[in-house]
Amino acid sequence: MPELPNEKHAPHPWKLRTTESPRVRSSEAYAELQVTSNFTFLTGGSHPEEMVTRAAELGYRALALTDTNSLAGIVRAHVAAKEVGLPLVVGCRVAFVSTECAVLVYPTDRASYGRLCTLLTLGRRRAPKGECQLELEDLFAAEEGLLAVALPPHPKRYGAPEQLDGTFEAFVRRLASVFDDDRLSLGAHALFGVDDAGWLSRLEGIGADVGAPLVALNDVHYHVPERRMLQDVLVCIREHCTLEDAGFRLFSNGERYLKRATELQALFAAHPAALQRTLEIAARARFQLDELRYEYPDEISEGGRPPMEELRRLTFAGAAERYPNGVPAKVGRQLEHEFRLIDELSYAPYFLTVYDIVRFAREKGILCQGRGAAANSAVCYCLGVTAVDPDRIDILFERFVSKERDEPPDIDVDFEHERREEVIQYIYAKYGRHRAALTGVVISYRGRSAIRDVGKVVGLSLDAIDRLAKDLDWWHKDIGVDRLRALGLDPKEPAMKRFIVLLNAILGFPRHLSQHVGGFVITRGPLCELVPIENAAMPDRTVIEWDKDDIDAMGMLKVDVLALGILTCVRKAIDLINLHGLHGGDELALHTIPPEDPLVYDMLCEADTVGVFQIESRAQMSMLPRLRPRCFYDLVIEVAIVRPGPIQGKMVHPYLKRRSGKEAVTYPSDAVRAVLEKTLGVPLFQEQAMALSVAAAGFTPGQADELRRAMAAWKKKSSRLEELCRELMSGLVANGYSSDFAQRLYDQIMGFGEYGFPESHSASFSLIVYVSAWLKRHHPAAFTAALINSQPMGFYAPAQLVRGAREHGVEVRPIDVNTSCWDCTLQDEALRLGFRLIGGLSEAYARVIERARRRGPFLGWDDFSRRTRLSRAVMSRLAGADAFGSLSLDRRGALWQA
């Protein structure tokens, strides 16, 4: 065990081994066909990328990733294999419910890969989340085109060859009856067991009887030997035990790493054909993920029209509604520009798919709004996907769709948080669960979860674990002995030494698969033939095994169906205004709210923003009087500037000084002016950093997009952002810009990595900021009622919202059993409080009161009690809220109050 460093982290021993080992090119050819990565959760001890990179270093001819009943890590392995030029064999270890024997399977073509995905989907859909229930007959139904390797029960339970009983032989004979044409092999391991020679000889005899040759396997669970301890820890976490108590649950030795081919040749010296068999299988299992072709859904055009023709028809129909006085020339030119790109890249079905989802929501009265890059599109505005008018903001469509990016667009749509489930179930119903599923999210070890799990395994006391977990911040800094002693821990104690090394090793390791907040993948054909689908923890939800990064790598469509509480509030406020005719003769809608109202901006400059979306925090309230927004684009800046990114990048004060005239606005070149003129020479948005990299530093569009990705991934502590920023600085200096300007831009872009808003995202949010502010300014009673009726949300409790409404001149009427409903309502433009404000009172009791009240107002306590039959506890809650104010005090009421 390495000594604990005093001041700085020492490199982990396995990292030293991986980075310093020479690139070995053995003359002996070998392909490893049994590799378990950390995507067999809490089992494998290395990332798929580490397995691939190490195999390439060792000169392997190919590598197969074979996680148990899963293809969750295969995309990451695929991307890494392409980078290092190593052939990747797509595979899987299929485990069964009724036997300890297992089978490695490898698809040989696209059709057999689809059958494998369908098989895994079958096993996971019939099991609870995270489990898979398969029988041998299920595999037989999907065997066409698959190569199979039979695995006996784990050798650690069968030390001597004679312990290999007839169960495995019967298992192999059943496989041999189905897997013909030399598609079956027997997995042979030489892992320094009790009698490897006898074990291999016994397996060879079984294989000879059924015509199945041996294939050499190393049962790899980690890429270098030094990961053995971490793999042991993962198993202990899975088995809920300590290292001390693990016993036979752990492997008996540390041989399950990627070995040199010469070592394997020595281990299988008596069975050279088993090594040759690895190359034969790798050559035959030729399917690659590059063969997958994503196809958009095709039931999205009415009357059989081609998708592009249908998109144009719907867009112009929407434009006529959006612009009743005629489409502005600028918007018309933008539409034609977008149509050309969409047609060239064949993205029309994608836009139509999103339109269909939004259309359903609008027909059901569910408020929705496109977020992020969709705000860049005039087509999205005319389709009703977003309410950000392209005539009011100037953002490049190429940030959303471009040939250079060579990837599908990504539209995020926010829906009312109380009704989003209706939209989700509509998607499942329209496309079927075999064609639509939520994107997976890999939950990885971070901070406290790593401290608690590793601490228990190495035997730290619960008290010590709690102290370490609560003092989490210092783990992001250098680990020193003084800090440990300050926490009452002994840094020289062996368990503490192990804990520190293992804690750092496990950070970032996947722990389990969860569901994305709303990212849907929808396909024309069966989705279950592209990627396995499994049940989510929530009822009526299914998810795919791949996460967002995997989806991007495979070029698959994703529509984010997200929830936003303020949209629920806005819809309820608009409904109240229209119900009571408070807006005059015309009905109010999101896109008909009058723009650029000076009274709204006056209110914002005074920081009167309690309840206003995004700008109701104390930090935003302190910024508003300094920024003094007077137009929509000022709101775009306001939303983006009070973020960790601009603050860390030291952009806030320079922008405010330039805006107030205290500092001159200068630009080092016309190219920089073209990019930064909107923000007074200070880069506030990710798009500006991308544009500067091209205009001033000579980046290609591809490099600029890589910069965008690196900024988005910075929270994962990727070093790529630093590398790109150094390249950016070099490019700026080479193009004649001062080193001071280059350094400032470097600092600002690194700040974006901490948390910087894209301009398109800020524009979408700013529209909702303006709408909620307009409602607060012109209809405070309706807005307050809607806010309360949409709780929980925002920074402020209902009591604070009510107090704020009174301060704005709203008449607030108390809760009353004769007039109140569950929700707050409007009465003669006054705010009538609802029963939902009574703590501990459920909506069901409010409905009882409302039903009883239909026969006329309650006349007294006796009348109320007789007609509602509510319990004494409920009556007490109502009395505590003074909800009986309109009742006459009959004898019983007087006694009750007394």
Side-chain angles (χ1 to χ4, degrees), residues 74 228 323 677 782 817:
I74 199 68
R228 186 262 176 100
Y323 303 104
E677 191 167 16
V817 293

Side-chain angles (χ1 to χ4, degrees), residues 14 36-40 42-48 50-51 67 220-224 226-232 234-235 251 256 505 509:
W14 53 83
T36 299
S37 78
N38 53 14
F39 277 83
T40 301
L42 301 181
T43 300
S46 294
H47 296 282
E50 292 175 315
M51 297 288 196
D67 285 310
V220 174
H221 279 66
Y222 32 91
H223 70 297
V224 289
E226 292 83 357
R227 280 284 173 92
R228 186 262 176 100
M229 181 181 291
L230 178 59
Q231 197 269 332
D232 287 349
L234 293 168
V235 172
F251 292 128
R256 286 169 173 79
F509 255 55

Side-chain angles (χ1 to χ4, degrees), residues 369-594:
Q369 160 72 352
R371 178 202 297 189
N376 297 14
S377 170
V379 169
C380 284
Y381 177 71
C382 293
L383 290 175
V385 173
T386 176
V388 178
D389 188 342
D391 205 29
R392 296 176 62 190
I393 192 166
D394 184 23
I395 305 178
L396 288 177
F397 181 66
E398 281 73 7
R399 169 65 180 85
F400 179 38
V401 173
S402 70
K403 289 182 286 188
E404 288 78 11
R405 290 178 64 192
D406 190 29
E407 63 182 29
D410 187 9
I411 296 180
D412 302 343
V413 185
D414 289 309
F415 298 86
E416 298 176 39
H417 75 297
E418 292 181 355
R419 301 187 64 188
R420 182 180 66 138
E421 189 64 26
E422 297 176 45
V423 181
I424 289 175
Q425 293 308 318
Y426 167 74
I427 295 172
Y428 279 133
K430 182 178 180 69
Y431 299 102
R433 293 185 178 271
H434 64 297
R435 295 176 53 204
L438 287 164
T439 304
V441 172
V442 178
I443 304 301
S444 301
Y445 273 106
R446 296 285 184 268
R448 289 184 176 85
S449 62
I451 291 171
R452 295 192 183 282
D453 279 5
V454 175
K456 292 174 186 176
V457 167
V458 300
L460 296 183
S461 67
L462 293 179
D463 177 62
I465 292 170
D466 283 341
R467 272 179 284 162
L468 289 165
K470 290 175 182 176
D471 202 56
L472 178 64
D473 289 344
W474 71 278
W475 289 102
H476 299 296
K477 304 173 184 177
D478 297 334
I479 300 177
V481 295
D482 293 339
R483 186 63 185 174
L484 289 172
R485 290 194 181 103
L487 292 172
L489 302 170
D490 183 1
K492 295 183 179 179
E493 206 240 330
M496 182 55 62
K497 290 183 177 182
R498 284 197 302 271
F499 170 73
I500 292 170
V501 174
L502 292 168
L503 176 70
N504 286 281
I506 204 174
L507 291 174
F509 255 55
R511 196 188 192 287
H512 64 273
L513 189 71
S514 185
Q515 68 175 39
H516 192 275
V517 291
F520 260 99
V521 177
I522 309 170
T523 56
R524 176 183 298 176
L527 176 60
C528 59
E529 293 182 1
L530 282 174
V531 54
I533 302 172
E534 66 176 50
N535 295 319
M538 292 181 65
D540 300 323
R541 299 281 184 91
T542 48
V543 301
I544 62 173
E545 288 187 337
W546 296 344
D547 70 6
K548 179 184 182 298
D549 293 337
D550 299 331
I551 293 301
D552 290 343
M554 299 308 299
M556 295 172 65
L557 174 153
K558 177 171 71 70
V559 180
D560 280 331
V561 179
L562 306 174
L564 196 61
I566 191 63
L567 289 181
T568 305
C569 168
V570 168
R571 195 264 303 166
K572 290 181 176 181
I574 290 174
D575 285 351
L576 283 170
I577 293 167
N578 290 332
L579 177 65
H580 294 273
L582 302 179
H583 190 59
D586 297 331
E587 281 210 348
L588 189 65
L590 187 64
H591 67 278
T592 63
I593 288 178

